[in-house]
Amino acid sequence: MSGLAFQNSIQVLNNGVELLEVDSNGVTFFTIPQIDLTPYNISIITQPTSPNQICTVSDGQGSIDAQETILSVECITTPYNIGVNVSGLTVGNSLSFLNNGIDLIQVNSNGVTLFNSQLLDGLEYNTIIVSQPTNPDQICTVNNGQGFISGEDVIINIECLSYYNIGVNVSGLEENASFSFLNNGTDLLQVNSNGLTVFNSQLFDLLEYNVTIATQPTDPDQFCTLTNNIGVISGEDVVINVDCVNLYNVGVNVNGLAKNNSVSLLNNGTDLLQVNSNESAFFNTQLTNASVYNITVDTQPTIPNQVCTVNSGNGFITGAEVIINVVCINSEYNIGVNVSGLAIDNSVTVINNGSDLINVNTNGVTSFNVPQADATEYDVTVITQPTEPNQLCIVNNGNEFLNGTDAIINVVCSNIKYSLGVNVLNLAPNNSLQLLNLSL
């Protein structure tokens, strides 16, 4: 016996009756001796299986010829094919494999391709990819690429996946402007020109993409929008259209606002702007060309009370920023006196701030001629007292500041009282005289 693998065995039969099991190389005899000239017929009934081998008998038939007869049995281990079964490889593409570090094959089509060298049963195989497909780029993976031959050919499944570019096609971006995108929240791309720009990372077919704008252009300010920016790769590159338009400031130029006062304005009913001084100020939200603006006063100034008016506050953006004039004026209030106690047909003259003079000839409220702005000082005094009869008119709290309402100052008039007496002459000592004032 020669060529029998370690720990393998074979069964042979002589003349169809005597069975012999052999488990090692060398000479092994049948148990029953045979008489000279007796015929023999040696056949193999069970081949070795661990590993699979094919054993053959040389000159297995004959007769005993007055001596021991030793027949040659040679065993050869069965060889098997190693192959790869490729799927998903694009037409015109190719990749290379290596088995056990030495057997190299290149595959350029889907289906089964065999390595050049067979392996004997029981031997180890280790199949790896040494070059991935590049036209177009693909990623192929080996399934169960390592093991031992076990009595049959080994076909290793290879799955190839295509991956595709994700890009943005920008239009309308101003010269020297730039902005950035994110794909799937991680792949950052900065774009500084119109046209197509591709993200750094490609995606496999059937994977999701989600492209967002991370930063909008700022020099000049622009607003860019995406079209069909979310989806699933479907066997081709994805190009997302991005349209950029200029953004324009909308602002107000406030005049006449009192010191420490403030006015609140609205654009288009939602964008709120508070202005605290006479200056130009801009709303938070910029608008695209041809957009509508409508500026209104939301809250008027109150310290002091003022009325602010928007001049030509509505219209359309026409390729430039818009500055709307807002003029604030103080609210004006009347100053008056409420006279009481003034005698019939009498009159009193009062003055405000040394210049606004009125002559009052009846009890009740009488207003000065000139209204005053809110928070300004008034100073009401009497300059001519009543004389028919003589009366004294007193102003109560005549010097104050307006505080968002008309000011009515009380003026109380009262008659002046005089003493009446007699000068008696020549009355005798210890005498007396009684006098009566008949007017009482």
Side-chain angles (χ1 to χ4, degrees):
M1 181 71 65
S2 63
L4 186 66
F6 179 68
Q7 294 184 341
N8 224 342
S9 65
I10 182 175
Q11 288 182 326
V12 293
L13 193 66
N14 182 23
N15 292 329
V17 293
E18 187 177 3
L19 182 66
L20 175 65
E21 182 168 337
V22 180
D23 59 8
S24 62
N25 292 307
V27 177
T28 304
F29 291 99
F30 285 93
T31 304
I32 303 173
Q34 290 189 254
I35 299 172
D36 191 24
L37 302 179
T38 300
Y40 58 86
N41 183 3
I42 305 298
S43 60
I44 298 172
I45 63 169
T46 303
Q47 293 282 2
T49 60
S50 182
N52 286 337
Q53 292 188 282
I54 299 296
C55 299
T56 55
V57 181
S58 298
D59 298 325
Q61 290 181 319
S63 299
I64 300 298
D65 186 17
Q67 61 183 348
E68 290 180 345
T69 301
I70 298 175
L71 305 178
S72 294
V73 178
E74 183 178 6
C75 297
I76 299 174
T77 303
T78 306
Y80 293 97
N81 291 311
I82 305 293
V84 290
N85 183 23
V86 176
S87 63
L89 187 67
T90 59
V91 175
N93 224 341
S94 65
L95 71 164
S96 299
F97 298 88
L98 197 63
N99 186 36
N100 289 339
I102 54 173
D103 194 0
L104 179 69
I105 58 171
Q106 180 169 309
V107 177
N108 52 23
S109 63
N110 291 308
V112 175
T113 303
L114 300 178
F115 282 96
N116 302 306
S117 301
Q118 294 178 307
L119 291 181
L120 299 179
D121 193 30
L123 292 184
E124 185 177 10
Y125 62 88
N126 184 6
T127 298
I128 59 172
I129 296 172
V130 292
S131 64
Q132 294 280 2
T134 58
N135 187 30
D137 291 333
Q138 290 187 276
I139 291 293
C140 302
T141 54
V142 178
N143 295 320
N144 300 319
Q146 187 174 10
F148 292 86
I149 304 294
S150 184
E152 60 183 355
D153 292 338
V154 173
I155 303 298
I156 298 162
N157 289 322
I158 309 296
E159 183 180 12
C160 295
L161 295 175
S162 298
Y163 52 93
Y164 298 94
N165 290 315
I166 307 293
V168 290
N169 184 27
V170 176
S171 62
L173 186 67
E174 291 284 350
E175 187 176 359
N176 299 323
S178 66
F179 63 131
S180 58
F181 299 85
L182 277 175
N183 184 29
N184 291 333
T186 56
D187 192 6
L188 182 66
L189 173 67
Q190 181 162 318
V191 175
N192 51 24
S193 64
N194 291 306
L196 178 64
T197 308
V198 176
F199 281 93
N200 299 310
S201 301
Q202 295 174 303
L203 294 180
F204 290 121
D205 197 21
L206 302 181
L207 289 183
E208 292 184 356
Y209 60 89
N210 184 356
V211 176
T212 56
I213 295 176
T215 59
Q216 293 280 4
T218 57
D219 187 21
D221 290 331
Q222 292 190 277
F223 183 71
C224 303
T225 54
L226 305 167
T227 302
N228 299 323
N229 56 307
I230 300 175
V232 177
I233 302 294
S234 183
E236 60 183 354
D237 292 338
V238 173
V239 176
I240 296 161
N241 290 322
V242 182
D243 184 32
C244 296
V245 294
N246 286 3
L247 290 175
Y248 299 96
N249 290 315
V250 178
V252 292
N253 184 30
V254 177
N255 287 290
L257 187 66
K259 185 178 180 181
N260 298 323
N261 223 343
S262 65
V263 58
S264 295
L265 301 134
L266 280 173
N267 185 26
N268 293 332
T270 56
D271 194 4
L272 182 66
L273 172 66
Q274 181 170 305
V275 181
N276 302 316
S277 61
N278 292 306
E279 62 180 354
S280 293
F282 293 99
F283 287 93
N284 296 314
T285 303
Q286 296 172 302
L287 297 179
T288 58
N289 194 40
S291 295
V292 174
Y293 63 86
N294 183 15
I295 298 173
T296 56
V297 175
D298 181 56
T299 305
Q300 294 282 5
T302 59
I303 307 176
N305 285 342
Q306 292 187 280
V307 175
C308 298
T309 304
V310 178
N311 296 328
S312 303
N314 61 325
F316 295 88
I317 302 295
T318 56
E321 69 179 19
V322 173
I323 305 292
I324 303 299
N325 288 322
V326 178
V327 178
C328 300
I329 58 175
N330 286 16
S331 299
E332 291 188 334
Y333 298 97
N334 291 313
I335 311 293
V337 291
N338 183 22
V339 176
S340 62
L342 185 67
I344 295 174
D345 296 328
N346 218 346
S347 66
V348 60
T349 304
V350 291
I351 194 169
N352 181 30
N353 290 333
S355 60
D356 191 4
L357 183 144
I358 58 174
N359 189 55
V360 181
N361 53 25
T362 60
N363 290 306
V365 176
T366 304
S367 295
F368 284 96
N369 301 304
V370 181
Q372 282 185 225
D374 190 30
T376 58
E377 185 180 12
Y378 58 86
D379 185 13
V380 177
T381 58
V382 175
I383 62 169
T384 305
Q385 295 285 356
T387 60
E388 294 181 4
N390 287 334
Q391 291 188 283
L392 179 64
C393 297
I394 299 174
V395 178
N396 295 325
N397 300 319
N399 184 207
E400 300 284 351
F401 289 84
L402 285 172
N403 188 24
T405 61
D406 293 337
I408 305 298
I409 294 97
N410 290 320
V411 178
V412 179
C413 298
S414 61
N415 291 344
I416 299 175
K417 294 181 179 182
Y418 298 94
S419 297
L420 178 62
V422 293
N423 183 19
V424 178
L425 299 173
N426 300 319
L427 183 66
N430 299 319
N431 214 346
S432 66
L433 175 68
Q434 286 187 332
L435 299 171
L436 178 65
N437 184 2
L438 295 177
S439 63
L440 297 178

